[in-house]
Amino acid sequence: MIQAIAFYLFATLVLASGVLTIVARNPVHSVLWLILAFFNGAGLMLLVGAEFLAFLLIIVYVGAVAVLFLFVVMMLNIDFAELRAGFVKNFPLGIAIALVLLAELVLGVGAYRAGALDLGTADGMAAPLAGESNIENIGALLYGRYLFLFESAGIILLVAMVGAIVLTHRGTRSPRGQQNIARQIARKPSEATVNTKPEIGQGVEL
Amino acid sequence: MDFSHSLSLILPEIVLSVAGLVLLLVAAWGGDKTSRAITIASCVVLAACFAIVAPSVCAAAMGPDTVAFGGQFTADAFAGIAKLMIFAAAGAALVIAPAFFGRYGIMRAEYPVLILFSTLGMAIMVSATDLMTLYIGLELQSLAAYVLASFLRTDDRSAEAGLKYFVLGALASGILLFGMSLVYGFTGTTDFGGIRAALSGGMATGALFGIVFVLAGLAFKISAVPFHMWTPDVYEGAPTPVTAFFASAPKVAAIALTARVALDAFGAQAGAWQQVVIFAALASIVVGALGAIGQANVKRLLAYSSINNVGFILIGLATGTAEGVSAMLVYLAIYVAMTVGSFVAVLMLRNAEGEALEAISDMAGLSRTKPLLALCLAMLMFSLAGIPPLFGFWGKFVVFQAAVQADMVALAAIGIAASVIGAFYYIKIVKIMYFDEPANVVQGRSDWAHWALLAISTAAMSPLGYLLTPWLGELADGAAAALFLAA
């Protein structure tokens, strides 16, 4: 009973916040509605027992992606009202695209149901460990069977970070040049000045 | 799973990654003034990895003992011989870098670190026996390569090269991933052995699409026609030591990877990929030969030369026999030595101010101003053209021999005909150096490291190189046998 209530609650909130994401006038509000939709999606995933996906959705999408959106929206001064001005004009085009997508969805599901594709089947090598949660299973795989790949993927991310820094970091060079106070103080008059006695008409040799 | 056995098999990769991480910290704290020390340390690391891998190649390691992590990684003799070439080429790219970047005032400490990580990616690529390992190795190598291509960030051409390489490389990765997902979908596994078993009975059309997409993605990485468009631009724009690196090590890795994918994973459906490889081989030979003729920049010319050579290497793969793979490896080894030598020679072309010269017209009359350099370059060019007394001929010979033995006489005949076209532009460079009026712009002096590398590659390409043939042939045969044992 409580599961059904939770499902309808989350589902309603996902749909409502999804609609509000696209109709909100203020883009910052749109992103906030999107975050609410993610949270409720995560709740739905928890209900079907996919707790790892649920946490991933919150950590990755809410924690990183949505906050990035928020920054982009707030930093770039995009006038969403202007972007939305052509809504009525472009309405038929939008409907057409939506119909194409719907047709593809129906076709895809139909083809899958008909069994026309002879897809290979999993060989059971990665069968779930009995009595343990998704997270433990995934952890056991990542740090056991796929340890090598997991660590290599970590090095890829490190290289990406190093590359971004190498290509963009300009160093901390002061625009006024460098001041070495010790050298300034240690400077003696005898090193800084030269006495010459130029002959008439010869000029100075520097 | 026996972890200690798996870890002992990936020892070179562990050494490379730990060294890369430590040197990265040194670079972060020490700044650019440590770049020379880091470069030397990286060379030592590569030499150590070379020494670790060499015994398994000499012993022609193969069989289940070489399989690590439940079939994701294989450290057999085939992977080993490719790794030896990769480590040697990466070491050369490190040795020639400080002098080049020093002239621009920026030998940055990250250069050797990125080369090490790229080398790590290539080592993973050639050992991959799982689609996931394949992709991770490829991406690690490519990501470091994109950064290296735009390493001279004040230079517009270098930035353009990096951007172009990145955009097209990402597209190729997407094509490869799409193909891999199709293969996985139709076979139910990402393991090469499992894919071969699943495809041995028969093949769905979807799996065929998967094979073609995977090969298309890999053809981009080895710059085989029709996926070669990026090569001249990237090779021209990238800093010359990086270009030398691109033309040698990643090519070896990608070709070895392609061979393993084709013969191991798709080995049961040879007919499906053979026509693709034959087309790519012939098209690469012809386009590489014709495209090079009009080039005025020597780096662009060498880019087309590399496309041309990839065609010859693919002929060895197209035969689908152990002899063909052995011939391919011999050609690959010779190609790496020739390419590194040619780029070192190009790096030594400098004017009085020490600026790099890249125009072919600047080389006019080089035989009178720099006779030794001109002689080395002429020998390398003749060798690339495959003129008999030089070692470059041997590579072409074994490849065509393998093609004829596999009843592919037409393929060999077209290849030989196109290599005659290709000889034209190599010999044109020799003509410009020896018979044109001296342009007298090549003035600068070069350090001993350049001369040493040039001397090694020229000596290997001279008729002395034929002393290596029994030894090289034996190693290549062992490596090919290791690949075919799995298949």
Side-chain angles (χ1 to χ4, degrees), chain A residues 117-122 143-149 152-153 155-156 158-160 162-163 166-170, chain B residues 1 3 10 17 21 24 69 72-73 108 110 117 120 124 132-133 136 140 143-144 147 150-151 153 185-186 188:
Chain A
L117 288 177
D118 183 21
L119 289 174
T121 47
Y143 290 98
R145 185 175 158 76
Y146 296 112
L147 175 75
F148 177 68
L149 300 179
S152 310
I155 292 184
I156 294 185
L158 179 75
V159 168
V162 172
V166 165
L167 292 182
T168 54
H169 185 59
R170 293 278 162 195
Chain B
M1 190 181 349
F3 265 114
I10 62 162
S17 27
L21 295 173
L24 184 62
F69 294 106
Q72 290 160 16
F73 188 94
R108 305 189 56 195
E110 289 86 356
F117 280 130
L120 171 66
I124 295 175
M132 286 186 284
T133 322
I136 282 180
L140 181 54
L143 211 51
V147 180
S150 45
F151 210 72
R153 45 185 199 189
F186 282 93

Side-chain angles (χ1 to χ4, degrees), chain B residues 103-311:
Chain B
R103 232 168 300 136
Y104 290 87
I106 35 161
M107 172 60 195
R108 305 189 56 195
E110 289 86 356
Y111 177 83
V113 175
L114 284 171
I115 292 266
L116 276 190
F117 280 130
S118 184
T119 310
L120 171 66
M122 288 183 267
I124 295 175
M125 275 164 79
V126 296
S127 280
T129 41
D130 189 292
L131 290 178
M132 286 186 284
T133 322
L134 181 165
Y135 185 70
I136 282 180
L138 194 71
E139 216 43 25
L140 181 54
Q141 178 264 319
S142 313
L143 211 51
Y146 303 145
V147 180
L148 287 172
S150 45
F151 210 72
L152 281 182
R153 45 185 199 189
T154 48
D155 182 26
D156 286 347
R157 285 190 312 163
S158 178
E160 185 199 327
L163 188 65
K164 203 171 256 179
Y165 196 20
F166 175 65
V167 172
L168 292 174
L171 180 71
S173 286
I175 292 173
L176 183 71
L177 276 179
F178 183 52
M180 277 161 47
S181 68
L182 281 175
V183 170
Y184 174 60
F186 282 93
T187 60
T189 174
T190 57
D191 182 62
F192 283 6
I195 292 173
R196 192 179 59 246
L199 292 180
S200 59
M203 190 170 52
T205 321
L208 179 64
F209 270 93
I211 291 176
V212 172
F213 274 108
V214 168
L215 287 178
L218 292 175
F220 174 89
K221 297 291 176 188
I222 60 177
S223 67
V225 176
F227 303 98
H228 65 289
M229 277 77 158
W230 58 277
T231 321
D233 293 342
V234 172
Y235 280 25
E236 185 193 0
T240 313
V242 176
T243 313
F245 180 64
F246 284 175
S248 51
K251 282 248 157 103
V252 176
I255 286 167
L257 177 66
T258 311
R260 203 191 279 279
V261 169
L263 293 167
D264 190 354
F266 304 145
Q269 296 288 345
W273 56 263
Q274 247 170 345
Q275 41 188 328
V276 177
V277 174
I278 289 174
F279 170 75
L282 288 180
S284 301
I285 294 172
V286 172
V287 171
L290 295 179
I293 290 174
Q295 301 303 328
N297 181 302
V298 69
K299 278 162 83 180
R300 282 186 87 85
L301 185 132
L302 286 173
Y304 278 105
S305 157
S306 83
I307 296 171
N308 180 255
N309 278 299
V310 160

Side-chain angles (χ1 to χ4, degrees), chain B residues 342-360:
Chain B
S342 315
F343 276 104
V344 170
V346 169
L347 272 173
M348 290 162 81
L349 300 174
R350 279 187 247 132
N351 64 13
E353 280 84 53
E355 285 163 2
L357 298 171
E358 292 172 7
I360 292 174

Side-chain angles (χ1 to χ4, degrees), chain B residues 363-367 374 377-378 428-436:
Chain B
M363 293 156 74
L366 196 66
S367 64
L377 204 48
K428 193 177 88 177
I429 290 193
V430 177
K431 176 241 167 198
I432 288 173
M433 286 192 303
Y434 276 83
F435 300 109
D436 282 11

